[in-house]
């Protein structure tokens, strides 16, 4: 490669780094007082707004749930939306949550398991975990026998159950690091 083109690439790199540095400075300079200090009891870093009350539209991502590719989970509607990179709903379905709900906010998929036994003793598959609440892991999963579990009132569960078909779709969509937006 001639030296003039390598100088051009170096120049573009320098300009890009300067722009990123400036934007980072600008973002940090506009943080309201106290928001840059972590708190032990703080909810996730980014909080999404409340979903409108009433019936959720399965064909439209909920307002305030973010932008781009993400999983949106409404704890009050017991509904999930798989939203593509162009903000289009690729799939939406209802779920049956456990008795431990995550706080509204934005999370990332932290781990996945192809098949395990759930905390309620039910064999489950396609487990997609994204947080824990008071020591209880919260994530999406499908019962292998595709029947609703009979919850043991003495066992706290964070499993958000979906059908096997929807579990397959979640497994394909929500890989490690994928964004999960939890809304009320």
């Amino acid at each position: 490669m001639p030296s003039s083109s390598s100088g051009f690439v170096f120049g573009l790199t320098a300009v890009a780094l300067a722009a990123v540095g400036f934007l980072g400075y600008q973002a940090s300079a506009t943080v309201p007082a106290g928001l840059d200090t972590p708190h032990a009891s703080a909810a996730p870093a980014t909080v999404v707004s409340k979903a409108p009350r009433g019936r959720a539209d399965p064909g439209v991502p909920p307002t305030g749930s973010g932008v781009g590719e993400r999983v949106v989970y409404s704890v009050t509607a017991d509904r999930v939306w798989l939203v593509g990179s162009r903000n289009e709903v690729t799939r939406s379905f209802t779920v049956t949550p456990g008795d431990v709900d995550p706080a509204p906010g934005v999370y990332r998929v932290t781990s996945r398991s192809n098949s395990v036994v759930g905390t309620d003793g039910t064999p489950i598959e396609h487990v997609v975990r994204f947080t824990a609440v008071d020591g209880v892991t919260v994530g999406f999963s499908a019962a292998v026998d595709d029947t609703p579990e009979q919850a043991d009132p003495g066992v706290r569960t964070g499993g958000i159950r979906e059908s096997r078909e929807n579990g397959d779709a979640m497994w394909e969509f929500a890989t490690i690091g994928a964004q999960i937006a939890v809304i009320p």
Side-chain angles (χ1 to χ4, degrees):
M1 186 186 277
S3 62
S4 65
S5 60
S6 63
F8 176 73
V9 171
F10 176 76
L12 283 177
T13 303
V15 168
L17 288 173
V20 168
F22 173 74
L23 292 172
Y25 166 76
Q26 199 173 28
S28 68
T30 59
V31 174
L35 277 183
D36 59 347
T37 308
H39 302 286
S41 63
T46 306
V47 177
V48 292
S49 67
K50 279 190 159 189
R53 292 288 180 218
R55 216 174 142 171
D57 184 347
V60 178
T63 303
S65 67
V67 295
E69 190 170 298
R70 66 199 181 281
V71 174
V72 179
Y73 169 51
S74 170
V75 295
T76 56
D78 295 332
R79 177 167 285 282
V80 168
W81 294 260
L82 304 181
V83 183
S85 60
R86 295 185 179 166
N87 220 38
E88 78 284 0
V89 173
T90 61
R91 187 180 197 99
S92 182
F93 49 91
T94 58
V95 293
T96 303
D99 58 356
V100 176
D101 287 329
V106 177
Y107 302 85
R108 296 283 176 184
V109 173
T110 56
S111 69
R112 296 169 15 121
S113 296
N114 193 36
S115 64
V116 296
V117 175
T119 54
D120 60 357
T122 302
I124 55 176
E125 66 183 1
H126 296 156
V127 182
V128 176
R129 299 174 198 90
F130 61 93
T131 193
V133 176
D134 298 327
V136 177
T137 301
V138 178
F140 302 101
S141 63
V144 172
D145 63 6
D146 214 5
T147 58
E149 74 282 352
Q150 298 301 315
D152 177 349
V155 178
R156 295 180 63 212
T157 62
I160 303 163
R161 294 287 165 83
E162 48 204 2
S163 71
R164 290 186 82 186
E165 181 182 343
N166 291 327
D168 290 345
M170 177 70 76
W171 182 255
E172 292 297 319
F173 190 87
T175 58
I176 297 292
Q179 181 175 296
I180 310 288
V182 176
I183 62 173

